[in-house]
Amino acid sequence: MPFTLPSRNPSAGPRRRSLFAGAAGAVLLVGCSPGSESDTTVAGRSAADRARARVARDSEALAERYTAVLATHPALAGLLEPLRAEVVRHAEAFGGGASATPSASKSPSAPASRSASPSPVPADERSALAELARHERQLADGRTKALLEVPGELARLMASVAAAGAAHAFLLTEGAK
C-alpha cells in the first residue's frame, strides 16, 4: 500500500512555524555578521597583536645581540650565524624584522648594533656564548609562559619558537664547552 500524505488546506500565507524559524535564522545571521563583534573578541585580538609585536621585538633584540657577539668574536661565526639567521626568521614570522635584517650581520661594526645592545659583550668567548644562551633561555621560558594568553595559531607559533630558543640555548651551552 503506497504512503499518502494527509490532506491539508493550503493556507494563504506563511505558517507560524516557518515565520519563527525564519526570524531565528535572521537573528543568528545578524549575530555572526562581521559588524557585530563583541568587545571581548576585539580585546582578545588586540592582546594577540600586542603579544605578536612583543615577541617580534624580543627576537629583533636577540638578533642584535647575536650581531654584537659576532662583531666582538668573529671566530664564532660558524656557530652563531645559523642561530642568528633563525632568530631573524622568528622575528619575521611575528611581523618584525625591520631592525634585525640579515644585512646587519654583514656589517658587524655598525654602530647601531653596538649601541642597541644593553650590555657590553664579554671579552671571553665562553662567557659571550653563556650570555647568549641565558638570553635564549629567558626568552624561551617567557614565551612558554605566555602561551596560555594567546589564541590557537599564535600559541602554536610561539611554542615552536620557544622550542627553537631552548634548542639554541642548548647548542650555545655545548658550544661553550
Side-chain angles (χ1 to χ4, degrees), residues 56-148:
R57 281 190 313 270
D58 290 345
S59 291
E60 289 171 346
L62 183 60
E64 290 171 0
R65 189 67 187 165
Y66 270 96
T67 300
V69 172
L70 282 165
T72 305
H73 304 288
L76 295 174
L79 172 65
L80 298 183
E81 279 295 334
L83 299 179
R84 185 194 177 287
E86 283 292 314
V87 171
V88 169
R89 281 193 287 278
H90 296 162
E92 291 169 352
F94 288 101
S99 65
T101 57
S103 63
S105 67
K106 303 294 183 221
S107 60
S109 61
S113 27
R114 266 194 238 143
S115 65
S117 59
S119 61
V121 175
D124 176 34
E125 286 182 359
R126 290 181 72 151
S127 298
L129 290 175
E131 181 188 9
L132 275 175
R134 183 177 53 82
H135 284 290
E136 285 275 15
R137 205 172 299 110
Q138 285 175 342
L139 279 178
D141 291 346
R143 290 170 179 169
T144 301
K145 289 176 186 172
L147 290 177
L148 297 175

Side-chain angles (χ1 to χ4, degrees), residues 83 162-172:
L83 299 179
H168 290 182
F170 173 78
L171 291 171
L172 291 166

